[in-house]
Amino acid sequence: MKRYSSYFLTFGLLVCLLGCQRDDICPTSTNVTPLLIIRFYDNESPADPVPPQNLSIRELTEENDSLRWVSYVDNNGNKDSIFRKAVDSISIPLRTDSNLTRFEFVLNTVIDSEGNISENSNRDTITFSYDRQLEYLNRACAYRTRFVNLKVNQNREIPDSLNWVKNIQVEENIVEDENQAHVSIFL
C-alpha cells in the first residue's frame, strides 16, 4: 500500500510540473496597465520640482462619493500608501472600469483625534477623464489598458485663494508607459 501511495505522489507531482506551460506566468518585464505619473512643480519657478508637504490622496468613487486610499510607487519603485508623504513625483492608478477617476489631493494633512482627515486640511478635487483602449497581451497577462485623450479638470467650487493647486498641465495625453510624467501640477 505504501508503494502505491508513493507512485500516486510521484504521478501527482509530474502532472503539476508538466501541466504548467511557459505562458501560464506573466513575466515581470511585461508592460502591463501603466500608472499615471504626476510631477509637482513650484508655480513661481516652473522648472523646479517641489515635494508637497504631508500629501494624502484619496479616490472619490461614484458610489456616494466614498473615499478609498490610493497606493503609489515612489521614485525608487517602492509601493506605499499615500498618506502624509513629501515626494516630487507620484504614480497612481486610474480606473480601468470607467472613463474617469476623481481624486481628492490633501496638502498639509491634519489628522483629528478619531484618525480622520480634519476639515481644516487643504483639499483639492481633481478629475482625470480619458478613453480606454484594451490590448490583449497573452494568456498569462491577459489585457492591458492604455489611457488615451487624457484630460484634467480641477474642481473650482471653492475660491481660488483656497486652492493649493495653482495650475495643472497635461504633458502626455496618452498613458501607455511609466517612462515620463503625464501630468504636471503647479503649487
Side-chain angles (χ1 to χ4, degrees):
M1 188 60 142
K2 211 174 194 183
R3 188 173 64 168
Y4 289 119
S5 63
S6 65
Y7 287 138
F8 283 120
L9 181 62
T10 305
F11 179 73
L13 284 172
L14 281 173
V15 167
C16 287
L17 291 175
L18 296 176
C20 289
Q21 296 178 9
R22 181 178 171 191
D23 63 347
D24 286 342
I25 300 170
C26 186
T28 56
S29 61
T30 302
N31 225 357
V32 293
T33 299
L35 298 173
L36 178 72
I37 299 176
I38 300 173
R39 297 271 336 237
F40 297 96
Y41 294 96
D42 184 2
N43 196 41
E44 303 297 321
S45 305
D48 298 333
V50 172
Q53 298 302 307
N54 292 329
L55 176 67
S56 299
I57 300 176
R58 298 187 295 180
E59 180 186 359
L60 296 168
T61 61
E62 297 295 319
E63 304 85 37
N64 302 323
D65 279 347
S66 62
L67 298 172
R68 173 177 75 86
W69 288 107
V70 175
S71 296
Y72 87 104
V73 180
D74 67 12
N75 294 337
N76 298 323
N78 301 318
K79 289 187 177 183
D80 200 354
S81 62
I82 299 179
F83 184 69
R84 298 173 61 106
K85 295 291 179 181
V87 292
D88 67 2
S89 70
I90 58 172
S91 301
I92 57 176
L94 294 174
R95 294 184 67 89
T96 58
D97 61 348
S98 173
N99 284 347
L100 65 92
T101 308
R102 292 184 334 154
F103 292 105
E104 179 181 63
F105 286 72
V106 184
L107 185 66
N108 296 323
T109 306
V110 176
I111 306 300
D112 64 17
S113 60
E114 297 173 3
N116 298 316
I117 292 182
S118 168
E119 291 300 320
N120 297 332
S121 298
N122 194 343
R123 306 163 188 247
D124 277 332
T125 301
I126 300 174
T127 302
F128 297 94
S129 61
Y130 43 82
D131 295 322
R132 296 168 289 149
Q133 292 180 345
L134 288 178
E135 174 185 349
Y136 181 75
L137 298 175
N138 56 40
R139 188 172 89 181
C141 300
Y143 289 90
R144 138 194 169 111
T145 304
R146 290 179 60 220
F147 305 101
V148 296
N149 302 321
L150 179 69
K151 296 179 182 78
V152 179
N153 182 24
Q154 183 179 1
N155 182 0
R156 295 289 186 174
E157 293 175 6
I158 59 176
D160 277 348
S161 61
L162 299 177
N163 289 320
W164 64 271
V165 174
K166 302 301 180 202
N167 191 17
I168 302 173
Q169 182 175 332
V170 175
E171 303 294 340
E172 189 67 40
N173 70 350
I174 299 175
V175 180
E176 62 184 343
D177 60 36
E178 298 173 3
N179 296 332
Q180 63 183 18
H182 304 108
V183 174
S184 297
I185 295 180
F186 298 90
L187 320 177

